[in-house]
Amino acid sequence: MNELLVVKNLKKYFKTKFGLVKAVDGITFHINEGETFALVGESGSGKSTTGHMIVGMYAPTSGEIYYKMNNISVHASKRPKNITREIQVVFQDPASSLNPSRYIKDIIGTPLKVYNLIRNSTEVEQKVADLLENVELPPELYMYRKPRELGGGELQAIAIARALSTNPKLIILDEPTSALDVITQAKIINLLLNLQKKHNLTYLFITHDLAVVRNIASRVAVMYLGKIVETAPTIELFNHCRHPYSMMLFSSIPVISEDEKNLKPKKITSIGEIPSSLSIPPGCRFHTRCPYAEARCKVEEPSLKHINSGHIVACHLAE
Ligand code: SF4
């Protein structure tokens, strides 16, 4: 499989008046062309900051991002235009990412003009109509409406149509279903899966919702306090996760059958809340919440180790 995106030892630190926030603290992964790679973890794990660096909203503090083997470890304004065109993003809350007072035609049409993908206004209208059809919204009903007149699922479909307008290869999906009810979530997930097949898209799916990950991702990386603690193919991770933090996340997913219940890891109850990124614990950064922590976990940071094909874990006990 071709590696479309490679991330190496990526870091993003923010200076604040309270101190240095280590939002992303040295992560490495790759995404193959045509796959869906999920980044999961609680709020504050650094997954969204990672997505924002890939799309170019922030330049990294250090480390590298390679897209089709081009080093793009800079802000989007310094990247070649053909690369910014190919990497698009869909945010969690379409109501705040779409201008409420503009017509849908103009919202979807703007990127077409920015990237010179149309020659005249007739072409804009035709192309926007095609994109609306692509996301299963009848153009005659939506072209001249405004975001404030629409519901959450319709808005997210329009945000997806806008992302598709530039013919992207990689789409960062940053919690795209978190603000939606369960039925609308399922519709958006089905839409994303259909579009992926139709356009050979590659997705980076960022979420805290593991039930959604099971239906969409081929591989998953679990993040905790700015680090990746476990990576594996989705089925392997759901059936045999090895890091206590992953076990904690996976054991709390609702199941619908006895078979699924039997496959779930033993229930792990962690102690307390995720610490602040301003004061990351020494040693294993999960030790303050880990029920299996030993003396060395408090002083010695575990490195990522391969335990079998494609399955990597950072835990002293998993070794
Ligand atoms: Fe828990 Fe120690 Fe493993 Fe960290 S290294 S997850 S504290 S057992």
Side-chain angles (χ1 to χ4, degrees), residues 30-60:
H30 70 275
I31 307 179
N32 295 316
E33 192 168 359
E35 80 164 337
T36 298
F37 183 76
L39 272 184
V40 304
E42 292 164 288
S43 172
S45 61
K47 56 194 192 305
S48 286
T49 306
T50 303
H52 294 168
M53 282 190 278
I54 293 168
V55 86
M57 289 164 66
Y58 307 132

PDB file of all heavy atoms in Angstrom, residues 30-60:
ATOM      1  N   HIS A  30       1.604   6.689  10.015  1.00  0.00           N
ATOM      2  CA  HIS A  30       1.426   6.929   8.584  1.00  0.00           C
ATOM      3  C   HIS A  30      -0.010   6.570   8.210  1.00  0.00           C
ATOM      4  O   HIS A  30      -0.692   5.833   8.938  1.00  0.00           O
ATOM      5  CB  HIS A  30       2.411   6.088   7.754  1.00  0.00           C
ATOM      6  CG  HIS A  30       2.104   4.633   7.780  1.00  0.00           C
ATOM      7  ND1 HIS A  30       2.552   3.790   8.775  1.00  0.00           N
ATOM      8  CD2 HIS A  30       1.349   3.864   6.956  1.00  0.00           C
ATOM      9  CE1 HIS A  30       2.094   2.572   8.558  1.00  0.00           C
ATOM     10  NE2 HIS A  30       1.359   2.585   7.456  1.00  0.00           N
ATOM     11  N   ILE A  31      -0.469   7.123   7.088  1.00  0.00           N
ATOM     12  CA  ILE A  31      -1.808   6.787   6.582  1.00  0.00           C
ATOM     13  C   ILE A  31      -1.646   6.328   5.140  1.00  0.00           C
ATOM     14  O   ILE A  31      -1.029   7.034   4.313  1.00  0.00           O
ATOM     15  CB  ILE A  31      -2.769   7.992   6.641  1.00  0.00           C
ATOM     16  CG1 ILE A  31      -2.797   8.600   8.061  1.00  0.00           C
ATOM     17  CG2 ILE A  31      -4.173   7.569   6.222  1.00  0.00           C
ATOM     18  CD1 ILE A  31      -3.699   9.814   8.201  1.00  0.00           C
ATOM     19  N   ASN A  32      -2.158   5.124   4.850  1.00  0.00           N
ATOM     20  CA  ASN A  32      -2.070   4.585   3.488  1.00  0.00           C
ATOM     21  C   ASN A  32      -3.132   5.200   2.592  1.00  0.00           C
ATOM     22  O   ASN A  32      -4.229   5.550   3.059  1.00  0.00           O
ATOM     23  CB  ASN A  32      -2.265   3.068   3.511  1.00  0.00           C
ATOM     24  CG  ASN A  32      -1.153   2.365   4.256  1.00  0.00           C
ATOM     25  OD1 ASN A  32       0.023   2.696   4.072  1.00  0.00           O
ATOM     26  ND2 ASN A  32      -1.506   1.421   5.102  1.00  0.00           N
ATOM     27  N   GLU A  33      -2.816   5.280   1.316  1.00  0.00           N
ATOM     28  CA  GLU A  33      -3.771   5.822   0.352  1.00  0.00           C
ATOM     29  C   GLU A  33      -5.055   4.980   0.356  1.00  0.00           C
ATOM     30  O   GLU A  33      -4.996   3.748   0.298  1.00  0.00           O
ATOM     31  CB  GLU A  33      -3.136   5.811  -1.040  1.00  0.00           C
ATOM     32  CG  GLU A  33      -3.932   6.610  -2.016  1.00  0.00           C
ATOM     33  CD  GLU A  33      -3.155   6.846  -3.306  1.00  0.00           C
ATOM     34  OE1 GLU A  33      -2.003   6.401  -3.424  1.00  0.00           O
ATOM     35  OE2 GLU A  33      -3.747   7.479  -4.191  1.00  0.00           O
ATOM     36  N   GLY A  34      -6.207   5.628   0.454  1.00  0.00           N
ATOM     37  CA  GLY A  34      -7.491   4.950   0.373  1.00  0.00           C
ATOM     38  C   GLY A  34      -8.011   4.382   1.682  1.00  0.00           C
ATOM     39  O   GLY A  34      -9.113   3.858   1.733  1.00  0.00           O
ATOM     40  N   GLU A  35      -7.242   4.474   2.782  1.00  0.00           N
ATOM     41  CA  GLU A  35      -7.717   3.908   4.051  1.00  0.00           C
ATOM     42  C   GLU A  35      -8.319   4.982   4.949  1.00  0.00           C
ATOM     43  O   GLU A  35      -8.202   6.186   4.696  1.00  0.00           O
ATOM     44  CB  GLU A  35      -6.582   3.186   4.797  1.00  0.00           C
ATOM     45  CG  GLU A  35      -5.644   4.083   5.549  1.00  0.00           C
ATOM     46  CD  GLU A  35      -4.770   3.326   6.576  1.00  0.00           C
ATOM     47  OE1 GLU A  35      -5.130   2.225   7.027  1.00  0.00           O
ATOM     48  OE2 GLU A  35      -3.705   3.870   6.921  1.00  0.00           O
ATOM     49  N   THR A  36      -8.978   4.519   6.014  1.00  0.00           N
ATOM     50  CA  THR A  36      -9.436   5.424   7.077  1.00  0.00           C
ATOM     51  C   THR A  36      -8.628   5.094   8.320  1.00  0.00           C
ATOM     52  O   THR A  36      -8.673   3.962   8.826  1.00  0.00           O
ATOM     53  CB  THR A  36     -10.931   5.224   7.367  1.00  0.00           C
ATOM     54  OG1 THR A  36     -11.650   5.551   6.181  1.00  0.00           O
ATOM     55  CG2 THR A  36     -11.393   6.140   8.494  1.00  0.00           C
ATOM     56  N   PHE A  37      -7.863   6.076   8.770  1.00  0.00           N
ATOM     57  CA  PHE A  37      -7.033   5.923   9.962  1.00  0.00           C
ATOM     58  C   PHE A  37      -7.679   6.764  11.052  1.00  0.00           C
ATOM     59  O   PHE A  37      -7.969   7.944  10.834  1.00  0.00           O
ATOM     60  CB  PHE A  37      -5.615   6.414   9.656  1.00  0.00           C
ATOM     61  CG  PHE A  37      -4.648   6.250  10.794  1.00  0.00           C
ATOM     62  CD1 PHE A  37      -4.131   5.008  11.106  1.00  0.00           C
ATOM     63  CD2 PHE A  37      -4.252   7.349  11.541  1.00  0.00           C
ATOM     64  CE1 PHE A  37      -3.232   4.862  12.151  1.00  0.00           C
ATOM     65  CE2 PHE A  37      -3.350   7.208  12.587  1.00  0.00           C
ATOM     66  CZ  PHE A  37      -2.830   5.960  12.894  1.00  0.00           C
ATOM     67  N   ALA A  38      -7.943   6.162  12.211  1.00  0.00           N
ATOM     68  CA  ALA A  38      -8.620   6.903  13.282  1.00  0.00           C
ATOM     69  C   ALA A  38      -7.646   7.287  14.386  1.00  0.00           C
ATOM     70  O   ALA A  38      -6.781   6.487  14.763  1.00  0.00           O
ATOM     71  CB  ALA A  38      -9.743   6.058  13.866  1.00  0.00           C
ATOM     72  N   LEU A  39      -7.780   8.507  14.872  1.00  0.00           N
ATOM     73  CA  LEU A  39      -7.075   8.949  16.076  1.00  0.00           C
ATOM     74  C   LEU A  39      -8.129   9.092  17.157  1.00  0.00           C
ATOM     75  O   LEU A  39      -9.086   9.857  16.980  1.00  0.00           O
ATOM     76  CB  LEU A  39      -6.442  10.330  15.856  1.00  0.00           C
ATOM     77  CG  LEU A  39      -5.054  10.445  15.262  1.00  0.00           C
ATOM     78  CD1 LEU A  39      -4.641  11.912  15.243  1.00  0.00           C
ATOM     79  CD2 LEU A  39      -4.026   9.600  16.004  1.00  0.00           C
ATOM     80  N   VAL A  40      -7.973   8.335  18.256  1.00  0.00           N
ATOM     81  CA  VAL A  40      -8.988   8.383  19.302  1.00  0.00           C
ATOM     82  C   VAL A  40      -8.348   8.751  20.644  1.00  0.00           C
ATOM     83  O   VAL A  40      -7.137   8.588  20.835  1.00  0.00           O
ATOM     84  CB  VAL A  40      -9.752   7.039  19.436  1.00  0.00           C
ATOM     85  CG1 VAL A  40     -10.364   6.618  18.121  1.00  0.00           C
ATOM     86  CG2 VAL A  40      -8.856   5.935  19.972  1.00  0.00           C
ATOM     87  N   GLY A  41      -9.179   9.220  21.553  1.00  0.00           N
ATOM     88  CA  GLY A  41      -8.710   9.593  22.891  1.00  0.00           C
ATOM     89  C   GLY A  41      -9.677  10.594  23.483  1.00  0.00           C
ATOM     90  O   GLY A  41     -10.536  11.135  22.786  1.00  0.00           O
ATOM     91  N   GLU A  42      -9.502  10.847  24.792  1.00  0.00           N
ATOM     92  CA  GLU A  42     -10.377  11.812  25.450  1.00  0.00           C
ATOM     93  C   GLU A  42     -10.046  13.220  24.993  1.00  0.00           C
ATOM     94  O   GLU A  42      -9.000  13.465  24.390  1.00  0.00           O
ATOM     95  CB  GLU A  42     -10.160  11.745  26.970  1.00  0.00           C
ATOM     96  CG  GLU A  42     -10.614  10.466  27.620  1.00  0.00           C
ATOM     97  CD  GLU A  42     -10.003  10.333  29.009  1.00  0.00           C
ATOM     98  OE1 GLU A  42      -8.789  10.075  29.119  1.00  0.00           O
ATOM     99  OE2 GLU A  42     -10.744  10.489  29.976  1.00  0.00           O
ATOM    100  N   SER A  43     -10.909  14.149  25.350  1.00  0.00           N
ATOM    101  CA  SER A  43     -10.633  15.557  25.118  1.00  0.00           C
ATOM    102  C   SER A  43      -9.325  15.916  25.833  1.00  0.00           C
ATOM    103  O   SER A  43      -9.101  15.493  26.967  1.00  0.00           O
ATOM    104  CB  SER A  43     -11.815  16.346  25.701  1.00  0.00           C
ATOM    105  OG  SER A  43     -11.537  17.680  25.676  1.00  0.00           O
ATOM    106  N   GLY A  44      -8.425  16.634  25.151  1.00  0.00           N
ATOM    107  CA  GLY A  44      -7.134  16.992  25.763  1.00  0.00           C
ATOM    108  C   GLY A  44      -6.032  16.011  25.404  1.00  0.00           C
ATOM    109  O   GLY A  44      -4.896  16.141  25.860  1.00  0.00           O
ATOM    110  N   SER A  45      -6.321  15.016  24.535  1.00  0.00           N
ATOM    111  CA  SER A  45      -5.291  14.030  24.181  1.00  0.00           C
ATOM    112  C   SER A  45      -4.358  14.534  23.081  1.00  0.00           C
ATOM    113  O   SER A  45      -3.290  13.983  22.866  1.00  0.00           O
ATOM    114  CB  SER A  45      -5.951  12.720  23.730  1.00  0.00           C
ATOM    115  OG  SER A  45      -6.759  12.956  22.593  1.00  0.00           O
ATOM    116  N   GLY A  46      -4.771  15.592  22.343  1.00  0.00           N
ATOM    117  CA  GLY A  46      -3.922  16.140  21.282  1.00  0.00           C
ATOM    118  C   GLY A  46      -4.342  15.720  19.890  1.00  0.00           C
ATOM    119  O   GLY A  46      -3.704  16.070  18.900  1.00  0.00           O
ATOM    120  N   LYS A  47      -5.443  14.964  19.780  1.00  0.00           N
ATOM    121  CA  LYS A  47      -5.826  14.440  18.458  1.00  0.00           C
ATOM    122  C   LYS A  47      -6.257  15.548  17.498  1.00  0.00           C
ATOM    123  O   LYS A  47      -5.867  15.540  16.328  1.00  0.00           O
ATOM    124  CB  LYS A  47      -6.884  13.328  18.599  1.00  0.00           C
ATOM    125  CG  LYS A  47      -8.132  13.724  19.351  1.00  0.00           C
ATOM    126  CD  LYS A  47      -8.951  12.501  19.733  1.00  0.00           C
ATOM    127  CE  LYS A  47     -10.338  12.883  20.234  1.00  0.00           C
ATOM    128  NZ  LYS A  47     -10.398  13.834  21.355  1.00  0.00           N
ATOM    129  N   SER A  48      -7.035  16.515  17.972  1.00  0.00           N
ATOM    130  CA  SER A  48      -7.465  17.592  17.069  1.00  0.00           C
ATOM    131  C   SER A  48      -6.283  18.486  16.685  1.00  0.00           C
ATOM    132  O   SER A  48      -6.179  18.910  15.531  1.00  0.00           O
ATOM    133  CB  SER A  48      -8.561  18.453  17.714  1.00  0.00           C
ATOM    134  OG  SER A  48      -9.766  17.728  17.706  1.00  0.00           O
ATOM    135  N   THR A  49      -5.387  18.757  17.628  1.00  0.00           N
ATOM    136  CA  THR A  49      -4.198  19.572  17.308  1.00  0.00           C
ATOM    137  C   THR A  49      -3.385  18.881  16.213  1.00  0.00           C
ATOM    138  O   THR A  49      -2.853  19.537  15.314  1.00  0.00           O
ATOM    139  CB  THR A  49      -3.342  19.790  18.571  1.00  0.00           C
ATOM    140  OG1 THR A  49      -4.178  20.328  19.593  1.00  0.00           O
ATOM    141  CG2 THR A  49      -2.179  20.737  18.312  1.00  0.00           C
ATOM    142  N   THR A  50      -3.300  17.562  16.274  1.00  0.00           N
ATOM    143  CA  THR A  50      -2.590  16.800  15.234  1.00  0.00           C
ATOM    144  C   THR A  50      -3.251  17.044  13.872  1.00  0.00           C
ATOM    145  O   THR A  50      -2.571  17.348  12.878  1.00  0.00           O
ATOM    146  CB  THR A  50      -2.610  15.292  15.576  1.00  0.00           C
ATOM    147  OG1 THR A  50      -2.021  15.115  16.855  1.00  0.00           O
ATOM    148  CG2 THR A  50      -1.863  14.476  14.537  1.00  0.00           C
ATOM    149  N   GLY A  51      -4.576  16.930  13.832  1.00  0.00           N
ATOM    150  CA  GLY A  51      -5.305  17.164  12.580  1.00  0.00           C
ATOM    151  C   GLY A  51      -5.089  18.576  12.065  1.00  0.00           C
ATOM    152  O   GLY A  51      -4.891  18.788  10.863  1.00  0.00           O
ATOM    153  N   HIS A  52      -5.093  19.531  12.971  1.00  0.00           N
ATOM    154  CA  HIS A  52      -4.918  20.931  12.560  1.00  0.00           C
ATOM    155  C   HIS A  52      -3.519  21.182  11.988  1.00  0.00           C
ATOM    156  O   HIS A  52      -3.355  21.983  11.068  1.00  0.00           O
ATOM    157  CB  HIS A  52      -5.199  21.859  13.749  1.00  0.00           C
ATOM    158  CG  HIS A  52      -6.628  21.812  14.198  1.00  0.00           C
ATOM    159  ND1 HIS A  52      -7.080  22.360  15.369  1.00  0.00           N
ATOM    160  CD2 HIS A  52      -7.717  21.240  13.611  1.00  0.00           C
ATOM    161  CE1 HIS A  52      -8.394  22.141  15.480  1.00  0.00           C
ATOM    162  NE2 HIS A  52      -8.781  21.461  14.430  1.00  0.00           N
ATOM    163  N   MET A  53      -2.511  20.474  12.504  1.00  0.00           N
ATOM    164  CA  MET A  53      -1.155  20.628  11.927  1.00  0.00           C
ATOM    165  C   MET A  53      -1.104  20.018  10.532  1.00  0.00           C
ATOM    166  O   MET A  53      -0.472  20.558   9.633  1.00  0.00           O
ATOM    167  CB  MET A  53      -0.111  19.962  12.832  1.00  0.00           C
ATOM    168  CG  MET A  53       0.235  20.796  14.045  1.00  0.00           C
ATOM    169  SD  MET A  53       1.663  20.130  14.920  1.00  0.00           S
ATOM    170  CE  MET A  53       0.906  18.847  15.891  1.00  0.00           C
ATOM    171  N   ILE A  54      -1.793  18.884  10.348  1.00  0.00           N
ATOM    172  CA  ILE A  54      -1.751  18.229   9.033  1.00  0.00           C
ATOM    173  C   ILE A  54      -2.422  19.100   7.983  1.00  0.00           C
ATOM    174  O   ILE A  54      -1.926  19.247   6.863  1.00  0.00           O
ATOM    175  CB  ILE A  54      -2.395  16.821   9.102  1.00  0.00           C
ATOM    176  CG1 ILE A  54      -1.518  15.912   9.969  1.00  0.00           C
ATOM    177  CG2 ILE A  54      -2.572  16.221   7.699  1.00  0.00           C
ATOM    178  CD1 ILE A  54      -2.172  14.612  10.357  1.00  0.00           C
ATOM    179  N   VAL A  55      -3.526  19.744   8.369  1.00  0.00           N
ATOM    180  CA  VAL A  55      -4.226  20.589   7.391  1.00  0.00           C
ATOM    181  C   VAL A  55      -3.522  21.955   7.235  1.00  0.00           C
ATOM    182  O   VAL A  55      -3.795  22.693   6.287  1.00  0.00           O
ATOM    183  CB  VAL A  55      -5.716  20.708   7.777  1.00  0.00           C
ATOM    184  CG1 VAL A  55      -5.986  21.806   8.771  1.00  0.00           C
ATOM    185  CG2 VAL A  55      -6.585  20.853   6.553  1.00  0.00           C
ATOM    186  N   GLY A  56      -2.590  22.250   8.153  1.00  0.00           N
ATOM    187  CA  GLY A  56      -1.780  23.472   8.009  1.00  0.00           C
ATOM    188  C   GLY A  56      -2.300  24.670   8.790  1.00  0.00           C
ATOM    189  O   GLY A  56      -1.849  25.790   8.584  1.00  0.00           O
ATOM    190  N   MET A  57      -3.238  24.444   9.725  1.00  0.00           N
ATOM    191  CA  MET A  57      -3.722  25.564  10.542  1.00  0.00           C
ATOM    192  C   MET A  57      -2.648  26.020  11.529  1.00  0.00           C
ATOM    193  O   MET A  57      -2.606  27.183  11.922  1.00  0.00           O
ATOM    194  CB  MET A  57      -4.984  25.147  11.300  1.00  0.00           C
ATOM    195  CG  MET A  57      -6.181  24.993  10.381  1.00  0.00           C
ATOM    196  SD  MET A  57      -7.529  24.088  11.153  1.00  0.00           S
ATOM    197  CE  MET A  57      -8.003  25.192  12.450  1.00  0.00           C
ATOM    198  N   TYR A  58      -1.799  25.070  11.988  1.00  0.00           N
ATOM    199  CA  TYR A  58      -0.646  25.407  12.837  1.00  0.00           C
ATOM    200  C   TYR A  58       0.590  24.802  12.190  1.00  0.00           C
ATOM    201  O   TYR A  58       0.521  23.693  11.668  1.00  0.00           O
ATOM    202  CB  TYR A  58      -0.709  24.749  14.223  1.00  0.00           C
ATOM    203  CG  TYR A  58      -1.950  24.936  15.028  1.00  0.00           C
ATOM    204  CD1 TYR A  58      -2.551  23.823  15.628  1.00  0.00           C
ATOM    205  CD2 TYR A  58      -2.505  26.193  15.246  1.00  0.00           C
ATOM    206  CE1 TYR A  58      -3.678  23.961  16.410  1.00  0.00           C
ATOM    207  CE2 TYR A  58      -3.631  26.328  16.030  1.00  0.00           C
ATOM    208  CZ  TYR A  58      -4.216  25.216  16.605  1.00  0.00           C
ATOM    209  OH  TYR A  58      -5.314  25.353  17.377  1.00  0.00           O
ATOM    210  N   ALA A  59       1.722  25.515  12.335  1.00  0.00           N
ATOM    211  CA  ALA A  59       3.010  24.902  11.980  1.00  0.00           C
ATOM    212  C   ALA A  59       3.458  24.084  13.193  1.00  0.00           C
ATOM    213  O   ALA A  59       3.222  24.495  14.329  1.00  0.00           O
ATOM    214  CB  ALA A  59       4.026  25.980  11.668  1.00  0.00           C
ATOM    215  N   PRO A  60       4.097  22.930  12.988  1.00  0.00           N
ATOM    216  CA  PRO A  60       4.564  22.150  14.143  1.00  0.00           C
ATOM    217  C   PRO A  60       5.676  22.882  14.901  1.00  0.00           C
ATOM    218  O   PRO A  60       6.406  23.687  14.312  1.00  0.00           O
ATOM    219  CB  PRO A  60       5.130  20.876  13.504  1.00  0.00           C
ATOM    220  CG  PRO A  60       4.651  20.857  12.096  1.00  0.00           C
ATOM    221  CD  PRO A  60       4.386  22.273  11.708  1.00  0.00           C
TER     222      PRO A  60
END
